[in-house]
Amino acid sequence: MPLKSYGVLVGRAVGVRREGDSDTPHYQIRLVDDARVDYRIAVNVKSKEFPSELLYRVDEDFRHPVTAQLTGLTRGWHRLDTGAAGVNLDYVRQTLFDRTLLRPLPAEVEGPGNDLADLLDDQVQRAIREPAAVVYAFGERWGPEDGVPDKVFGFRPGNGVHDIHMNQGNVGAFRKDDGVWQDGAIIIGLPDQQRWVGIFLAFQSQSWHTDDKTGHTLVDAPVAEFGAEAVQIVAALINPVGPAPEAETVTLLNASPDAVDLTGWHLVDRALHVGPVPAGVLAPGASLLVHLPSTVQLGNKGGEITLLDSAGLKVHGVAYTAAQAQRSGWSVVF
């Protein structure tokens, strides 16, 4: 079953605590909201499953349409109904980051700047130093635990968010936490610098091909490899010249040395509307301009485009912001 209480906590980071001496160490962050309510964010930095090193991706210039939705949230806890509409995160069905850039990193290693706790500390300490910084922690809520002090920071009542990582495609006992549109992450808004930082974590044991309803691993799906995808979305004409319905297009490129049969492939927009890719073989190094049907809409206020193969598995995906889609008649290059 999915997480019991999925959502996003919005607040200001005021303290941290590193745990490096346990079997399941966490990087702990203390957050407060505008009502001076304290919360603890427990971020996993080591897996119980082999291999123990987590996969991470830190994007210090995170650009995604979800940030426009985050700016409208008040500080405090916001429960999110899991689904494609809204602020929910899904590592598989969205394009929050380039999965090929994920790297494993140990939890705690002697010396500066060489482990996951160091990496998290660098970003969170910066947020603590900058008064305007806002932290958005996606995960599962626990508490408030009336009469019980927080076990790390000591504030009362104990209260916080955990599962700050991918929450689908799990193995063993953690399979019970599987779900879609309920992945965890930390996103930091830095309004004084007009930029966002995205921190994304996953376990190496998790699958990247999951069921669209349960989030469980698809048994017959191929093992996801961390390399360049053969066919990629390289450009999209999101804001064509002329009246609606506009003639939007997506450009595909076969970056591999092998021909790829596109029969049965589809493109999907943020609202999960599906449009077919023309059947045929795409030669090595060749590109294909796909004219989207009116049912697939690339919104000018930001969105996502996903490429699915004939088995319905994600091959590639891109995201774009409202700023990128502003210029009428210009293709956005990814």
Side-chain angles (χ1 to χ4, degrees):
M1 61 180 296
L3 301 182
K4 295 179 181 179
S5 181
Y6 174 73
V8 59
L9 173 63
V10 185
R12 170 156 176 72
V14 296
V16 299
R17 184 76 57 81
R18 297 171 63 143
E19 294 179 337
D21 56 354
S22 67
D23 292 336
T24 57
H26 290 74
Y27 180 84
Q28 308 282 4
I29 307 169
R30 183 173 182 174
L31 238 67
V32 295
D33 63 17
D34 287 343
R36 303 303 299 174
V37 176
D38 287 284
Y39 302 83
R40 173 166 55 90
I41 304 173
V43 186
N44 291 77
V45 293
K46 185 178 180 180
S47 174
K48 288 184 177 180
E49 300 288 340
F50 178 83
S52 63
E53 295 87 358
L54 265 70
L55 296 168
Y56 80 94
R57 169 63 179 156
V58 174
D59 187 345
E60 295 198 6
D61 189 19
F62 179 57
R63 300 185 184 189
H64 192 279
V66 73
T67 59
Q69 297 172 287
L70 293 179
T71 55
L73 295 179
T74 58
R75 299 193 184 190
W77 170 254
H78 297 265
R79 181 162 184 169
L80 302 173
D81 293 327
T82 54
V87 192
N88 309 56
L89 304 185
D90 192 301
Y91 287 14
V92 175
R93 289 153 193 85
Q94 285 179 293
T95 302
L96 295 163
F97 52 89
D98 183 347
R99 185 173 56 82
T100 66
L101 298 178
L102 285 166
R103 295 292 182 269
L105 200 62
E108 193 86 22
V109 177
E110 187 174 350
N114 57 3
D115 58 45
L116 187 52
D118 288 342
L119 182 148
L120 291 167
D121 202 50
D122 180 59
Q123 300 299 333
V124 177
Q125 292 288 2
R126 183 184 305 170
I128 292 174
R129 292 193 300 268
E130 298 191 19
V134 182
V135 175
Y136 302 82
F138 288 82
E140 183 176 44
R141 172 78 181 272
W142 84 80
E145 301 169 324
D146 293 337
V148 179
D150 180 75
K151 68 177 185 179
V152 175
F153 296 108
F155 58 77
R156 290 175 181 265
N159 191 30
V161 180
H162 63 162
D163 289 331
I164 315 292
H165 48 68
M166 183 174 173
N167 291 305
Q168 57 185 305
N170 286 298
V171 297
F174 299 102
R175 191 172 181 270
K176 61 179 175 54
D177 296 329
D178 283 350
V180 296
W181 297 102
Q182 58 158 32
D183 286 329
I186 292 178
I187 299 176
I188 302 174
L190 300 168
D192 289 349
Q193 301 179 27
Q194 295 186 326
R195 69 183 179 93
W196 297 78
V197 175
I199 303 173
F200 307 99
L201 302 169
F203 299 110
Q204 294 188 62
S205 58
Q206 290 174 310
S207 171
W208 291 85
H209 293 308
T210 60
D211 184 87
D212 286 336
K213 293 183 178 179
T214 65
H216 294 327
T217 298
L218 293 174
V219 178
D220 296 329
V223 176
E225 297 181 356
F226 290 92
E229 291 89 349
V231 182
Q232 302 177 19
I233 300 169
V234 294
L237 181 57
I238 296 165
N239 188 8
V241 176
E246 301 164 317
E248 298 169 336
T249 63
V250 172
T251 302
L252 305 180
L253 172 69
N254 180 4
S256 79
D258 303 311
V260 178
D261 186 357
L262 302 182
T263 302
W265 289 38
H266 293 82
L267 288 165
V268 184
D269 64 16
R270 178 66 176 87
L272 305 183
H273 300 131
V274 179
V277 172
V281 174
L282 190 61
S287 61
L288 175 67
L289 185 68
V290 180
H291 294 269
L292 298 179
S294 59
T295 52
V296 179
Q297 299 179 355
L298 306 182
N300 295 346
K301 295 182 179 180
E304 296 176 76
I305 313 168
T306 302
L307 178 63
L308 304 179
D309 66 13
S310 58
L313 301 178
K314 182 177 179 178
V315 175
H316 192 237
V318 294
Y320 62 91
T321 64
Q324 290 176 294
Q326 278 184 352
R327 291 197 297 175
S328 179
W330 285 78
S331 291
V332 175
V333 178
F334 302 105

